[in-house]
């Protein structure tokens, strides 16, 4: 019996997702789920809705003060969220 090269299970899962066209939706789900951890629970408590369309994260906030503050740091937030997921999932964030 010939030994086969062992691959990490995580790599195999990513390869399967990629082959089935599910990698992008999975990464979008991971990014939305990461919002409270990346942003902190204070901001997450004021977040009422999150969605991603056309590589834009749409964030509905119940506080206009937080909305204004986050809008000024949009580029940094895009970078932090993408880095957390480990993929280029979003290009912009729209706060409303």
């Amino acid at each position: 019996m010939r030994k086969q090269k062992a691959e990490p299970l995580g790599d195999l899962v990513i390869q399967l997702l990629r082959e089935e066209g599910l990698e992008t939706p999975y990464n979008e789900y991971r990014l939305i789920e990461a919002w409270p951890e990346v942003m902190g629970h204070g901001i997450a408590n004021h977040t009422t809705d999150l969605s991603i369309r056309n590589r834009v994260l749409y964030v509905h906030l119940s506080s206009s003060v937080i909305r204004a503050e986050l809008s000024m740091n949009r580029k940094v937030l895009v970078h932090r969220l993408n880095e957390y997921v480990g993929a280029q999932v979003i290009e912009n964030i729209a706060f409303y």
Side-chain angles (χ1 to χ4, degrees), residues 4-23:
Q4 294 181 356
K5 181 180 173 185
E7 293 184 46
L9 183 58
D11 292 348
L12 293 173
V13 170
I14 296 298
Q15 181 182 351
L16 176 65
L17 289 171
R18 190 171 290 137
E19 289 172 1
E20 296 298 321
L22 299 172
E23 183 178 24

Side-chain angles (χ1 to χ4, degrees), residues 26-37 49-52 57-58 81 85 89:
Y26 175 66
N27 284 336
E28 289 175 351
Y29 169 80
R30 289 178 51 222
L31 189 136
I32 288 172
E33 290 296 309
W35 179 260
E37 188 169 336
D49 189 34
L50 290 168
S51 63
I52 298 175
L57 175 63
Y58 292 89
L81 288 162
V85 174
V89 179

Side-chain angles (χ1 to χ4, degrees), residues 20-89:
E20 296 298 321
L22 299 172
E23 183 178 24
T24 298
Y26 175 66
N27 284 336
E28 289 175 351
Y29 169 80
R30 289 178 51 222
L31 189 136
I32 288 172
E33 290 296 309
W35 179 260
E37 188 169 336
V38 173
M39 300 307 299
H41 292 289
I43 291 174
N45 289 338
H46 290 282
T47 303
T48 58
D49 189 34
L50 290 168
S51 63
I52 298 175
R53 290 185 307 274
N54 299 325
R55 300 180 60 87
V56 177
L57 175 63
Y58 292 89
V59 181
H60 188 264
L61 296 163
S62 60
S63 168
S64 61
V65 174
I66 293 173
R67 186 180 314 119
E69 184 70 28
L70 294 179
S71 292
M72 290 187 290
N73 296 306
R74 182 176 284 130
K75 288 183 181 183
V76 173
L77 297 175
V78 167
H79 176 73
R80 283 177 54 195
L81 288 162
N82 284 329
E83 185 175 54
Y84 187 89
V85 174
Q88 184 70 29
V89 179

